[in-house]
mmCIF file of all heavy atoms in Angstrom:
data_model
loop_
_atom_site.group_PDB
_atom_site.id
_atom_site.type_symbol
_atom_site.label_atom_id
_atom_site.label_comp_id
_atom_site.label_asym_id
_atom_site.label_seq_id
_atom_site.Cartn_x
_atom_site.Cartn_y
_atom_site.Cartn_z
ATOM 1 N N LYS M 278 62.790 141.994 121.044
ATOM 2 C CA LYS M 278 61.971 143.092 121.573
ATOM 3 C C LYS M 278 61.025 142.756 122.581
ATOM 4 O O LYS M 278 60.432 141.796 122.461
ATOM 5 C CB LYS M 278 61.451 143.854 120.354
ATOM 6 C CG LYS M 278 62.272 144.960 119.829
ATOM 7 C CD LYS M 278 61.506 145.891 118.775
ATOM 8 C CE LYS M 278 60.637 146.857 119.571
ATOM 9 N NZ LYS M 278 59.992 147.947 118.769
ATOM 10 N N ARG M 291 60.946 151.831 122.361
ATOM 11 C CA ARG M 291 62.338 151.483 122.365
ATOM 12 C C ARG M 291 62.617 150.469 121.158
ATOM 13 O O ARG M 291 61.951 149.476 120.953
ATOM 14 C CB ARG M 291 62.649 150.653 123.600
ATOM 15 C CG ARG M 291 64.002 150.389 124.038
ATOM 16 C CD ARG M 291 64.265 149.749 125.303
ATOM 17 N NE ARG M 291 65.396 148.995 125.484
ATOM 18 C CZ ARG M 291 66.512 149.406 125.911
ATOM 19 N NH1 ARG M 291 66.686 150.651 126.353
ATOM 20 N NH2 ARG M 291 67.592 148.631 126.022
ATOM 21 N N ARG M 296 68.228 142.308 126.144
ATOM 22 C CA ARG M 296 69.247 141.349 125.999
ATOM 23 C C ARG M 296 69.086 140.425 127.268
ATOM 24 O O ARG M 296 69.455 140.800 128.428
ATOM 25 C CB ARG M 296 70.634 141.953 126.072
ATOM 26 C CG ARG M 296 70.962 142.748 124.769
ATOM 27 C CD ARG M 296 71.986 143.938 124.916
ATOM 28 N NE ARG M 296 71.507 144.933 125.633
ATOM 29 C CZ ARG M 296 72.208 146.151 125.853
ATOM 30 N NH1 ARG M 296 73.399 146.059 125.551
ATOM 31 N NH2 ARG M 296 71.674 147.124 126.541
ATOM 32 N N LEU M 298 69.788 136.334 129.183
ATOM 33 C CA LEU M 298 70.381 135.101 129.126
ATOM 34 C C LEU M 298 69.631 134.244 130.130
ATOM 35 O O LEU M 298 69.528 134.493 131.154
ATOM 36 C CB LEU M 298 71.870 135.192 129.566
ATOM 37 C CG LEU M 298 72.849 134.028 129.303
ATOM 38 C CD1 LEU M 298 72.883 133.677 127.894
ATOM 39 C CD2 LEU M 298 73.968 134.136 129.971
ATOM 40 N N SER M 303 68.970 121.344 135.666
ATOM 41 C CA SER M 303 68.366 120.251 136.419
ATOM 42 C C SER M 303 69.193 119.133 136.356
ATOM 43 O O SER M 303 69.894 118.841 135.365
ATOM 44 C CB SER M 303 66.885 120.037 135.670
ATOM 45 O OG SER M 303 66.407 118.849 136.152
ATOM 46 N N SER M 324 56.873 125.309 124.490
ATOM 47 C CA SER M 324 57.486 126.045 123.555
ATOM 48 C C SER M 324 58.456 125.318 122.600
ATOM 49 O O SER M 324 59.134 124.442 123.122
ATOM 50 C CB SER M 324 58.300 127.333 124.126
ATOM 51 O OG SER M 324 59.266 127.756 123.186
ATOM 52 N N SER D 258 64.354 118.348 140.142
ATOM 53 C CA SER D 258 64.219 119.716 140.324
ATOM 54 C C SER D 258 64.555 120.567 139.025
ATOM 55 O O SER D 258 65.402 119.953 138.275
ATOM 56 C CB SER D 258 65.175 120.181 141.521
ATOM 57 O OG SER D 258 66.532 120.038 141.088
ATOM 58 N N ASP D 260 65.939 124.494 137.841
ATOM 59 C CA ASP D 260 66.237 125.890 138.234
ATOM 60 C C ASP D 260 66.266 126.723 137.014
ATOM 61 O O ASP D 260 66.808 126.390 136.024
ATOM 62 C CB ASP D 260 67.525 126.032 138.932
ATOM 63 C CG ASP D 260 67.575 125.544 140.318
ATOM 64 O OD1 ASP D 260 66.502 125.447 140.933
ATOM 65 O OD2 ASP D 260 68.659 125.048 140.792
ATOM 66 N N ALA D 264 68.848 136.298 133.349
ATOM 67 C CA ALA D 264 69.732 137.418 133.483
ATOM 68 C C ALA D 264 69.320 138.368 132.404
ATOM 69 O O ALA D 264 69.081 138.023 131.374
ATOM 70 C CB ALA D 264 71.076 136.939 133.332
ATOM 71 N N ASP D 269 68.903 147.332 130.062
ATOM 72 C CA ASP D 269 67.670 147.083 129.528
ATOM 73 C C ASP D 269 66.545 146.913 130.745
ATOM 74 O O ASP D 269 65.468 147.284 130.583
ATOM 75 C CB ASP D 269 67.650 145.763 128.814
ATOM 76 C CG ASP D 269 68.456 145.858 127.608
ATOM 77 O OD1 ASP D 269 68.703 146.876 127.066
ATOM 78 O OD2 ASP D 269 68.974 144.695 127.033
ATOM 79 N N ARG D 302 56.322 134.475 126.599
ATOM 80 C CA ARG D 302 56.156 134.640 125.250
ATOM 81 C C ARG D 302 57.108 133.655 124.448
ATOM 82 O O ARG D 302 56.761 133.127 123.484
ATOM 83 C CB ARG D 302 56.448 136.113 124.791
ATOM 84 C CG ARG D 302 56.310 136.388 123.366
ATOM 85 C CD ARG D 302 56.172 137.872 123.138
ATOM 86 N NE ARG D 302 57.500 138.539 123.130
ATOM 87 C CZ ARG D 302 58.332 138.696 122.069
ATOM 88 N NH1 ARG D 302 57.871 138.062 120.939
ATOM 89 N NH2 ARG D 302 59.437 139.302 122.162
ATOM 90 N N HIS D 303 58.338 133.463 125.004
ATOM 91 C CA HIS D 303 59.360 132.590 124.436
ATOM 92 C C HIS D 303 59.073 131.126 124.804
ATOM 93 O O HIS D 303 59.311 130.173 123.963
ATOM 94 C CB HIS D 303 60.705 133.057 124.736
ATOM 95 C CG HIS D 303 61.113 134.248 124.230
ATOM 96 N ND1 HIS D 303 60.764 135.457 124.752
ATOM 97 C CD2 HIS D 303 61.689 134.630 122.995
ATOM 98 C CE1 HIS D 303 61.253 136.554 124.057
ATOM 99 N NE2 HIS D 303 61.789 136.051 122.863
#
Side-chain angles (χ1 to χ4, degrees):
Chain M
K278 263 191 81 168
R291 193 175 157 94
R296 291 160 284 181
L298 187 67
S303 166
S324 159
Chain D
S258 66
D260 287 331
D269 298 341
R302 185 161 80 84
H303 293 87

